[in-house]
Amino acid sequence: MEDFGAGALWALKIWLYLIIGLIMIPAMFGFSLGISETYMTVLVKTLEVLWGWLLLFVCLMLSLSVVLSREAAVRHKCAPLLQWATLKMQKAKADERLLKMSSSNVLIQRENGSMEKELEELRRSRPKPQDGGDFTLSDCFYFTRRGIESIVEDEVTQRFSSEELVSWNLLTRTNNNFHYISLKLTLVYGLGVFVRYCILTPLRMLLACIGLTWLVFGTTAVGFLPNSRVKSWLSEWVHVMCFRICARGLSATIRYHNPENKPRKGGICVANHTSPIDIVILCNDGGYAMVGQVHGGLMGIIQRAMVRSCPHVWFERAEMKDRHLVTKRLKDHVNDKTKLPILIFPEGTCINNTSVMMFKKGSFEIGGTIYPVAMKYNPKFGDAFWNSSKYSMVSYLLRMMTSWAIVCDVWYMPAMHQKEEEDAIQFANRVKSAIAHQGGLVDLQWDGGLKRAKVKAAFKEQQQKQYSSMVVGDDSNSNSD
């Protein structure tokens, strides 16, 4: 029994030494030994070979069953599966190109034209009156069609559900295009569950705990130092080091593009928001001052430790409602060019990695330089989107740690400034469009707050005024008459 205990202790020591030497030390100093890259290469090849083998196996078996079977019932049962597999093999590349272009699987292909253009198309058989106003009964078809489209598949609700993949990634059995096919495939899925839950997850949890523990103790220790350039450097180094360890705990593979455009001190970094781990992804490459509400519990302990060494901007619940106070504190931070850039997600909620929704104007009323950052996750290896209406934070983090990996592309974009003729809303829309274009995301004007709230009455009135101006004519035309 003593020999067994000594052997287990020796194995534990070797395991810890390997973790420290191969993962933690490279993370602390910002270099890689190529382990993550090798893991991703093997994973990609495995999934590609598995998916190709799956489709080939299904086609061969079902074709053989249909040919050899003499019973019409068997033919009728196998035909749909055979058709499914055949279409998958023929259209795999086309589907991947379509996903890259549309960023989502949609049921309805909507036209990008405005209300005026679509109504003019319906009215093309009738000449427009000279007085500028017009109404035809065919206008009802436009509103009826748009209403039915919204009922079947609106542009907002689908942004808060996980995007569907073209191929199965061994992470779930609930893909709409996948059904039980064979025992062998189930065994492969079971092997993947064993690897993810019994090998990867314990290691990732250990790294996450180490990273958060070091963050609390490291920032607390740095907080006792007097304010100086040395303290600022140590604070940023501790933050980046700990977030890199946490990124290793998610098996995160991050590709940073255009590092010459990285946010600088005294600026504001704005990015699209998919997941709470967006902070880990960005802070893995540099230090940021974070903005948020004061929390209790474990999150509160981390916040209090972080603010001792770095001037993060935390607000009490009552202060968050005071816009003038929030704006003043943020302006004071931006005006100090020695402080880290502020990290803000103007959408205010998580979107499912396919789109960018309306940016709140408050972030663009502060002034200063805006550094846009576009982020795009690869859903093939894990779904990074956090559906807060469906999963709690603990459940979501467990899903992240039991996925194959987190693969993300980050694009640093050139700094942007507000133009003289622009207001805050126009500036926010311009930044949002640039981020959507860079990340290959859909640019939407809808407010992400519609996830839990109803459409504002002002938006309905805007649509009503737009149509009424077409019916009765513009005020300018009526005045000139």
Side-chain angles (χ1 to χ4, degrees), residues 167-194:
S167 60
W168 185 39
N169 57 0
L170 294 177
L171 289 181
T172 179
R173 299 302 293 270
T174 59
N175 188 289
N176 293 334
N177 290 329
F178 180 80
H179 302 279
Y180 175 82
I181 295 178
S182 68
L183 178 61
K184 293 182 179 180
L185 193 59
T186 302
L187 294 178
V188 173
Y189 171 75
L191 178 61
V193 170
F194 173 79

Side-chain angles (χ1 to χ4, degrees), residues 16 18-29 207 210 214 241 245 248:
L16 291 176
L18 291 175
I19 292 176
I20 295 174
L22 299 179
I23 299 178
M24 294 182 59
I25 292 180
M28 291 170 59
F29 296 98
L207 291 174
I210 293 174
W214 280 29
M241 175 188 64
I245 295 175
R248 297 297 196 279

